[in-house]
Amino acid sequence: MKTYRQELTFHTKTHRAYVNITPQVETALAESGIREGLCLVNAKNITASVFINDNESGLHRDFERWLEKLAPEKPYDQYDHNGYEDNADAHLKRTVMGREVVVAVTDGKLDFGTWEQIFYGEFDGMRDKRVLVKIIGE
Ligand code: ZN
């Protein structure tokens, strides 16, 4: 069995962002040379997510509005976590949107369902964040 590991780094210009990282994951898969196996992609920071959904900008605005209703960023003093840092909402948003995805690798390609793409969800951005890509198989 072969294994491949790569870290991607993100530094978004905005506090929250949704980034389609499918091209980077496909590049990693090509570099791995793995044809059959599993590809794990996970956020390495607890205020960011990796999730799979549709690459449609309206949906991304819907995510933003929905998450702000569930866990509004402000007022900061509504959260026990805030004080030293004011990112409680980002931790909650990350929990809802998930830590990682696993995609089957078939014939050297990510075996997606229709319209599926991999996204990095940033909820406390404008600083360096990391995503792990781990691929196993043969
Ligand atoms: Zn925190």
Side-chain angles (χ1 to χ4, degrees):
M1 189 187 73
K2 283 198 272 192
T3 71
Y4 177 90
R5 182 186 190 281
Q6 189 187 329
E7 281 189 12
L8 308 174
T9 303
F10 297 93
H11 189 121
T12 60
K13 293 193 182 93
T14 52
H15 186 60
R16 283 191 291 277
Y18 304 93
V19 183
N20 187 347
I21 62 170
T22 310
Q24 288 102 311
V25 178
E26 287 174 337
T27 299
L29 177 57
E31 284 174 11
S32 77
I34 291 169
R35 306 285 301 168
E36 297 291 329
L38 292 173
C39 177
L40 166 77
V41 187
N42 70 267
K44 297 205 81 174
N45 294 85
I46 52 180
T47 54
S49 288
V50 173
F51 63 96
I52 289 180
N53 219 299
D54 193 355
N55 188 25
E56 197 276 305
S57 58
L59 180 65
H60 300 168
R61 290 192 296 275
D62 291 336
F63 279 137
E64 172 63 19
R65 276 199 296 269
W66 178 65
L67 289 167
E68 267 297 287
K69 277 185 212 161
L70 280 177
E73 180 186 348
K74 297 169 186 169
Y76 294 125
D77 65 4
Q78 71 187 303
Y79 299 109
D80 288 348
H81 178 69
N82 287 343
Y84 175 69
E85 52 179 7
D86 290 327
N87 64 1
D89 70 300
H91 289 281
L92 298 174
K93 287 164 175 142
R94 184 274 170 103
T95 303
V96 168
M97 296 303 284
R99 171 184 182 266
E100 77 276 304
V101 300
V102 178
V103 182
V105 174
T106 304
D107 200 21
K109 294 209 159 59
L110 297 170
D111 202 339
F112 284 131
T114 308
W115 303 117
E116 284 189 337
Q117 296 277 283
I118 304 171
F119 293 91
Y120 174 71
E122 177 60 80
F123 306 116
D124 185 18
M126 300 187 290
R127 55 197 176 102
D128 285 348
K129 299 284 202 75
R130 291 173 299 144
V131 167
L132 174 67
V133 180
K134 179 93 181 192
I135 308 168
I136 60 170
E138 51 196 345

